[in-house]
Amino acid sequence: MGNIPKDAVAILVNGQVCEASGDMPEGGRALTCNDPEGLAVYRHSVSHIMAHAVADLFPGTRFAIGPSTADGFYYDFDSPQPFTPEDLKKIEKRMSQIIKAANPFKRAVMNRDDAIRMFEEKGEIYKVELLREIADDTVSLYEEGGFADLCRGPHLPHTGRVKAFALLSIAGAYWRGDEKNKMLQRIYGTAFGDAESLKKHLDFLEEVKRRDHRRLGKDLDLFSIGDETGSGLVLWHPKGATIRRVIEDFWRAEHEKADYQNLYTPHMARLDLWKQSGHWDFYRENMYAPMEVEGQLFEIKPMNCPFHIAIYKSHLRSYRDLPIRYCELGTVYRFERSGALHGLLRVRGFTQDDAHIFCAPDQIQDEISRVLEFTLFVLKTFGFENYDVYLSTRPEKYVGDLEHWETATDALRQALEKSGIRYEVDPGEGVFYGPKIDIKVKDTLGRAWQCSTIQVDFNLPERFDISFQGSDGAKHRPIMVHRALMGSLERFFGVLIEHYAGAFPVWLSPVQVRVMTVAERHADHANSVVKALRAAGVRADVDVTNEKIGYKVRIAAMDKIPYLLTVGDREVEQGIVNVRRRGGENIGEMTVDAFGEMVAEEVAGKR
RNA sequence: GCCGAGAUAGCUCAGCUGGUAGAGCAGCUGAUUCGUAAUCAGCAGGUCGUCGGUUCGAAUCCGAUUCUCGGCUCCA
């Protein structure tokens, strides 16, 4: 027994989060906003306070659910009037009043049927629905300042404990996340234990906005998604295309080293192919309508695999040929609902850095290990050092026999164990044809992005009846591994833009060097510098406009060009250049050759 | 697809309750010839996303439609 510290928002007793009221029980531990569980309690209470404010300001609103989330909280409302941004301000104001009043959160336990009756009288249909699904006979309600809500708790001792919160946005959300249900209005907010932490989070959100690849894509002239050309279809502008080409060149070179063979396959195929592959049955909702050509139906491809299988089947294969590794930068088209589209991260046409490995069952673990190592190497080259790795196991709907699933899942698991990287099991999240490993890369802001995927497939070898001849002279079925390291070039590019905030490392920068003249008489020297750099393989351009050097520096800085070379009287005289690095660091004077070598070295090191 | 918000010059945005469109930057021309994040002046630039309606008159009001944004759902 003892006193509960004043800054405790909840206490942990026997692994259970409880209210920070009364005395501290034996073995109890105080939780503050520095503990994830404590912060969750705190935010959950703020969500209740928001509901209270909405109840006061918007009579007739019905209440759904209001949980805390990873970085804040939300509450779903069914309100006759749509909320506006101005309403958020009003709600915030009312919340501040409720907080100032320091209303105690009072817990009341009542009979479940009584609770149902009570909420029914108030017309709270969502609460009634929730109550009907609770198995216990009794339920708990929390009341503060006259506003009562169904809640498991726990909550803060009183509303006055809230120190910093902000309402962020309004959005539609289906009741219970099911699109067959009514669309409710969700208000998102966040809350922290102190004003400084809140400010830090709001600054983080600003930084996220600043790095938005759609914003940077426009500012840096990297890509666009045209209104006239179609939504979800990406136009790669020269600078974006340059970056893509560098990525592709790197990708091809590394695949050659890793014993892959590169393929090119068409963008469409006869519908029958997609029927045989099973896509027409299992994947149709992501496919476009077939088109008729001379009486035959054709389908634009949502995946590359059937083509790679067709190439596999073009010969009789021996066990000596395996593993066969086919890779292709294959452009696929998938139907996405208009509301799901999002810049480069969610599009309708994209290029996968795809590969299919055909191997014998006893080779699978080794192949998975190789792919895993290869993936991490590629991601690391692009500056991604942290990942979340998931092993997705057999889903409810699956094909193939259990033994195969067992072997394949084991192979994936052992490859992961061998690599020593930490991973989580995602039960039932595999694809219908096999288990998979998904790798989410974490960018500089710590956000996780799904890019790489490694999938084992028993279905397609079966469906296309592919085989190889074993040392025993008999026919055997190979196992197929699908894998994409970057996932799609479009999404990966979007992630890269945000990761680097548009300031790409030298080897990726579309313009690596800008040569700037101090005055017009230096143009000839500047042009010859550019010529020499280009001859040395450096992507350089020139600014000979009639502007002051400060202006040119500013423009180049906004273009996020890694190196700025200044050319004035001094440089012309001595045949040198003056080098400034992106960010302002002045490296000083050097010869064009020396500078060219320096850049080449950086590019070779993928820096 | 669904709920909400939005679409005005190349870009960022202003334009109150209907009276016929404006700024900054970018562009062009001229002056200036300058040493590390904006030199000055002038000019040009829009059938206000598209289609239809109301009105003497629509960027403004109404309807439809396309696209974008915030989410939900879904995914590389």
Side-chain angles (χ1 to χ4, degrees):
Chain A
M1 294 282 277
N3 289 330
I4 293 176
K6 270 181 79 179
D7 63 343
V9 294
I11 54 174
L12 193 66
V13 186
N14 300 326
Q16 275 229 284
V17 183
C18 304
E19 243 110 72
S21 58
D23 291 320
M24 178 73 88
E26 202 72 47
R29 183 166 76 83
L31 293 173
T32 68
C33 285
N34 295 322
D35 303 289
E37 305 99 316
L39 191 57
V41 168
Y42 184 86
R43 286 169 171 172
H44 186 192
S45 293
V46 181
S47 146
H48 269 243
I49 294 168
M50 177 169 78
H52 180 176
V54 168
D56 288 356
L57 295 168
F58 303 92
T61 300
R62 287 188 286 216
F63 300 84
I65 54 165
S68 68
T69 62
D71 40 28
F73 62 87
Y74 65 81
Y75 209 114
D76 286 347
F77 304 103
D78 181 4
S79 166
Q81 295 273 317
F83 296 123
T84 65
E86 289 75 60
D87 291 338
L88 287 193
K89 281 178 213 138
K90 278 188 230 160
I91 296 167
E92 278 185 343
K93 212 165 161 191
R94 180 76 193 108
M95 286 170 72
S96 298
Q97 292 167 349
I98 296 166
I99 289 164
K100 204 168 167 201
N103 303 324
F105 275 97
K106 284 178 275 195
R107 179 187 166 93
V109 175
M110 71 192 286
N111 180 283
R112 192 184 67 121
D113 293 335
D114 292 344
I116 289 176
R117 226 165 291 129
M118 190 187 93
F119 280 111
E120 255 172 358
E121 267 169 41
K122 293 204 272 186
E124 292 287 356
I125 50 175
Y126 304 100
K127 298 294 178 192
V128 171
E129 194 178 322
L130 291 172
L131 278 162
R132 291 228 158 92
E133 284 167 26
I134 293 175
D136 296 348
D137 290 339
T138 59
V139 296
S140 62
L141 272 75
Y142 280 80
E143 181 267 335
E144 115 335 87
F147 176 78
D149 198 355
L150 171 70
C151 188
R152 188 181 299 130
H155 275 288
L156 294 172
H158 62 85
T159 59
R161 296 294 296 274
V162 178
K163 299 298 174 211
F165 75 96
L167 301 188
L168 301 173
S169 60
I170 311 155
Y174 298 108
W175 165 235
R176 322 205 99 178
D178 187 333
E179 59 186 318
K180 288 189 221 57
N181 289 337
K182 186 169 183 187
M183 179 69 70
L184 308 174
Q185 292 191 72
R186 175 171 298 178
I187 297 180
Y188 281 97
T190 192
F192 287 86
D194 56 274
E196 201 183 319
S197 303
L198 174 65
K199 167 125 194 337
K200 238 173 88 186
H201 182 72
L202 295 178
D203 287 347
F204 168 80
L205 294 179
E206 279 305 308
E207 178 66 14
V208 167
K209 232 191 248 170
R210 206 177 62 76
R211 285 175 180 249
D212 191 310
H213 73 281
R214 294 164 300 181
R215 170 85 260 136
L216 289 168
K218 198 182 251 184
D219 287 350
L220 301 176
D221 198 14
L222 301 173
F223 71 91
S224 64
I225 299 176
D227 289 6
E228 289 122 35
T229 41
S231 49
L233 302 172
V234 179
L235 304 172
W236 295 72
H237 293 206
K239 284 180 182 155
T242 298
I243 296 173
R244 173 165 170 168
R245 206 204 67 231
V246 173
I247 295 172
E248 288 184 356
D249 288 349
F250 163 71
W251 187 88
R252 282 203 193 86
E254 292 303 327
H255 276 71
E256 213 165 301
K257 282 189 213 162
D259 284 326
Y260 283 78
Q261 296 169 284
N262 197 31
L263 307 177
Y264 292 98
T265 65
H267 285 216
M268 56 187 231
R270 292 172 51 191
L271 180 61
D272 301 310
L273 182 77
W274 304 105
K275 284 182 177 165
Q276 193 183 353
S277 69
H279 287 100
W280 192 241
D281 288 334
F282 287 95
Y283 205 68
R284 197 185 312 186
E285 57 183 26
N286 285 294
M287 294 164 72
Y288 290 98
M291 63 184 117
E292 202 194 297
V293 182
E294 292 185 326
Q296 260 187 16
L297 289 175
F298 282 79
E299 178 65 40
I300 192 155
K301 68 172 168 182
M303 292 193 190
N304 304 302
C305 7
F307 298 96
H308 292 198
I309 290 174
I311 293 169
Y312 178 93
K313 280 182 81 169
S314 65
H315 287 286
L316 204 61
R317 304 291 178 179
S318 149
Y319 71 98
R320 297 175 200 274
D321 301 329
L322 302 185
I324 289 173
R325 308 186 187 92
Y326 288 148
C327 68
E328 178 185 12
L329 293 167
T331 305
V332 298
Y333 296 86
R334 298 182 186 173
F335 171 72
E336 294 288 350
R337 302 200 284 180
S338 57
L341 299 172
H342 183 92
L344 292 176
L345 301 179
R346 194 71 182 280
V347 294
R348 285 180 173 158
F350 55 97
T351 301
Q352 293 181 305
D353 67 318
D354 211 355
H356 296 95
I357 300 167
F358 300 88
C359 63
D362 63 342
Q363 294 173 319
I364 183 123
Q365 197 199 311
D366 223 40
E367 281 306 304
I368 300 288
S369 287
R370 277 182 54 124
V371 168
L372 206 53
E373 201 182 317
F374 194 16
T375 308
L376 297 184
F377 160 71
V378 168
L379 294 178
K380 207 170 169 179
T381 305
F382 291 101
F384 297 112
E385 306 267 1
N386 299 302
Y387 328 94
D388 284 339
V389 180
Y390 299 90
L391 171 62
S392 302
T393 57
R394 183 167 50 83
E396 277 175 42
K397 268 180 72 181
Y398 68 97
V399 296
D401 50 62
L402 280 170
E403 197 192 326
H404 275 151
W405 275 91
E406 208 61 27
T407 329
T409 311
D410 246 33
L412 291 175
R413 188 179 289 117
Q414 281 177 36
L416 282 169
E417 296 289 347
K418 210 177 102 192
S419 72
I421 41 178
R422 279 194 25 216
Y423 68 96
E424 276 173 53
V425 176
D426 225 346
E429 286 304 305
V431 206
F432 69 90
Y433 51 72
K436 62 170 179 172
I437 295 173
D438 282 332
I439 299 173
K440 294 190 180 180
V441 301
K442 283 195 172 171
D443 69 12
T444 34
L445 297 185
R447 298 173 299 171
W449 305 91
Q450 157 86 64
C451 292
S452 322
T453 182
I454 304 168
Q455 309 177 349
V456 182
D457 185 352
F458 328 110
N459 179 48
L460 287 179
E462 199 87 31
R463 281 177 172 267
F464 285 96
D465 191 27
I466 59 172
S467 61
F468 66 90
Q469 193 155 17
S471 57
D472 56 359
K475 267 188 172 183
H476 296 273
R477 183 85 68 212
I479 290 180
M480 196 173 157
V481 177
H482 308 243
R483 47 111 280 200
L485 311 184
M486 297 180 273
S488 87
L489 293 180
E490 284 75 6
R491 175 176 289 180
F492 194 73
F493 187 38
V495 173
L496 267 188
I497 293 170
E498 305 214 355
H499 182 57
Y500 290 122
F504 296 99
V506 176
W507 77 287
L508 288 172
S509 285
V511 178
Q512 296 167 318
V513 179
R514 171 155 303 157
V515 183
M516 308 174 302
T517 49
V518 173
E520 278 176 341
R521 63 178 175 280
H522 309 122
D524 284 348
H525 182 58
N527 282 318
S528 69
V529 168
V530 168
K531 215 172 149 191
L533 287 173
R534 286 190 180 163
V538 176
R539 293 188 292 272
D541 70 9
V542 68
D543 185 350
V544 289
T545 55
N546 181 7
E547 292 287 351
K548 288 187 170 180
I549 197 73
Y551 181 80
K552 296 185 188 185
V553 167
R554 178 184 157 79
I555 297 301
M558 288 195 304
D559 283 343
K560 301 183 192 288
I561 296 169
Y563 286 110
L564 310 185
L565 305 188
T566 308
V567 169
D569 287 339
R570 259 200 324 274
E571 288 76 16
V572 172
E573 232 169 81
Q574 301 173 47
I576 54 169
V577 290
N578 197 310
V579 185
R580 174 191 162 117
R581 222 192 280 272
R582 178 172 56 202
E585 184 199 351
N586 224 308
I587 303 181
E589 299 172 341
M590 58 177 89
T591 64
V592 179
D593 286 351
F595 174 73
E597 275 167 34
M598 190 181 96
V599 173
E601 202 177 299
E602 266 185 80
V603 169
K606 305 280 185 294
R607 279 174 285 144

